[in-house]
Amino acid sequence: MSGAQLAVPVGPDDHARGPNDAAITLVEYGDYQCPYCGEAYSIVEKLLRALGEDVRLVFRNLPLVDVHVHAEAAAELAEAAAMQDKFWEMHDTLFENQGDLSDAALSRYAKTVGLDADRVARDLASGDPRARVEADFEGAIRSGANGTPTFFVNGDRYDGSWQFEPFKKYLQSLLKN
Amino acid sequence: MVLEEGALAPDFTLTDESGNGVTLSQINEPVVLIFYPADWSPVCSDELSVFSAARRLFDDRGARLLGISVDGMWCHQAFRSQRNLSFPLLADFEPKGAVAQSYGVYRNEDGISERALFVLDRTRHVSWKEISPLGENPGADGALRAVEALS
């Protein structure tokens, strides 16, 4: 293990999926436009199904905007969706449609997910989603996130393979202890 | 010997990817020197992308980021442009690896530098350093904390 530690503890403001008292909390710092994160998305879905109630997933933003020009807008839209209690619907939609994250596409996804478009526009203009993404970003850097995706397992940066079998094996090994 | 904390960092002038000379002693602000093995290698690309994205956190604290590898200027130019990196890449190319050697982070066995970070204060003294295994991307947390400790 690297010794890098999650600098911002998981709290009530986080986007979490799974039981609060799960044995394992998996924090993913991700970028909606990053192809590796797209690959990790389906792997994490499989992990959640395989490990059931033992895992809670938390997603935070780490948009690498120098290489992914749509990453910031996509992240802000997901945060705006969260303000309408639809974070995970948007998160999934963005990863499932990663190939097109243009502004026009993002507006379409907002509609698909069932967001109130006027409210999205207002919330984005307020700057709150942007502030949230920036705070996530700084937390990621302070935690030693070293690329996208970066995973933290119960607070420790996970530097192993996040392909399904090795990642599952690692998480299961924690459950046995 | 790797340059230790507290040591005066050797001065150098190296060419960046646009052909401009960058002289360390002329930078009167804290500097993060990012020695990395090679342009284009997957781990280096991720490491530099993270630093690139984190640049504004370093800017806010008045610190400059400089990448250094033994690759030449043209290679740096293509790499920086393809990765859209927000800070310059210096060519430690001729004599090859001379700056890496003077910081004690040159690998004679394979002709590249270690993956090493040095944070220098305004007076060019080493306030913090970290050498990572070649295959391990260190992230920017240590360098950011070291820069914050300067102010």
Side-chain angles (χ1 to χ4, degrees):
Chain A
M1 284 273 96
S2 56
Q5 297 264 323
L6 193 65
V8 182
V10 173
D13 290 340
D14 271 304
H15 308 306
R17 187 187 264 183
N20 281 335
D21 61 352
I24 293 171
T25 293
L26 179 62
V27 174
E28 176 182 358
Y29 276 103
D31 169 322
Y32 292 108
Q33 202 185 343
C34 157
Y36 299 110
C37 297
E39 190 189 344
Y41 162 70
S42 49
I43 291 172
V44 167
E45 290 294 308
K46 267 174 78 182
L47 283 172
L48 293 179
R49 278 199 298 277
L51 297 169
E53 299 291 284
D54 289 327
V55 178
R56 170 174 64 154
L57 170 69
V58 168
F59 185 89
R60 293 177 177 172
N61 299 292
L62 177 52
L64 296 181
V65 296
D66 298 322
V67 266
H68 303 135
V69 292
H70 301 300
E72 173 70 25
E76 289 186 25
L77 178 60
E79 293 305 327
M83 295 164 82
Q84 298 184 36
D85 296 323
K86 289 191 164 26
F87 174 79
W88 289 105
E89 291 88 333
M90 183 54 80
H91 164 277
D92 294 358
T93 301
L94 291 169
F95 277 129
E96 283 160 17
N97 296 278
Q98 196 178 40
D100 186 3
L101 298 177
S102 63
D103 290 348
L106 292 182
S107 303
R108 279 201 312 278
Y109 305 149
K111 206 173 287 177
T112 322
V113 165
L115 299 183
D116 173 342
D118 291 338
R119 192 172 157 204
V120 168
R122 269 202 314 279
D123 287 338
L124 288 176
S126 77
D128 291 346
R130 169 168 293 247
R132 167 70 180 251
V133 173
E134 281 178 5
D136 276 2
F137 180 86
E138 183 163 345
I141 298 300
R142 290 190 181 284
S143 303
N146 56 4
T148 49
T150 298
F151 291 100
F152 290 83
V153 176
N154 290 343
D156 294 322
R157 191 175 77 198
Y158 174 69
D159 287 340
S161 164
W162 45 260
Q163 292 299 314
F164 179 68
E165 285 300 334
F167 206 175
K168 187 179 77 168
K169 201 179 267 180
Y170 175 72
L171 296 175
Q172 282 173 331
S173 76
L174 298 178
L175 293 173
K176 282 181 204 132
N177 295 335
Chain B
M1 275 288 288
V2 179
L3 206 59
E4 289 299 326
E5 270 104 353
L8 179 66
D11 195 17
F12 59 75
T13 299
L14 290 176
T15 304
D16 71 11
E17 73 292 330
S18 308
N20 302 312
V22 174
T23 299
L24 186 63
S25 58
Q26 287 175 3
I27 302 174
N28 294 311
E29 48 195 355
V31 171
V32 182
L33 290 179
I34 306 165
F35 285 94
Y36 62 99
D39 291 347
W40 306 108
S41 90
V43 174
C44 298
S45 300
D46 283 349
E47 179 185 10
L48 297 181
S49 289
V50 167
F51 270 99
S52 181
R55 187 184 138 175
R56 63 184 164 74
L57 300 177
F58 288 92
D59 279 351
D60 288 349
R61 290 153 185 90
R64 285 266 287 275
L65 301 178
L66 295 174
I68 305 183
S69 78
V70 297
D71 299 281
M73 162 186 156
W74 302 107
C75 189
H76 275 341
Q77 193 174 90
F79 181 56
R80 182 176 176 187
S81 140
Q82 200 264 347
R83 306 297 304 192
N84 201 23
L85 298 172
S86 63
F87 54 87
L89 303 178
L90 306 182
D92 193 10
F93 182 67
E94 179 57 38
K96 187 183 171 202
V99 171
Q101 285 191 16
S102 70
Y103 282 70
V105 294
Y106 189 73
R107 296 164 57 92
N108 285 308
E109 64 273 31
D110 42 19
I112 55 178
S113 81
E114 298 283 1
R115 190 178 300 289
L117 298 168
F118 291 88
V119 170
L120 311 181
D121 67 15
R122 262 168 230 284
T123 62
R124 221 172 4 110
H125 288 80
V126 177
S127 70
W128 177 84
K129 68 164 198 308
E130 180 176 66
I131 315 289
S132 302
L134 277 196
E136 189 183 310
N137 175 345
D141 54 320
L144 184 61
R145 275 195 300 272
V147 164
E148 285 174 330
L150 292 177
S151 47

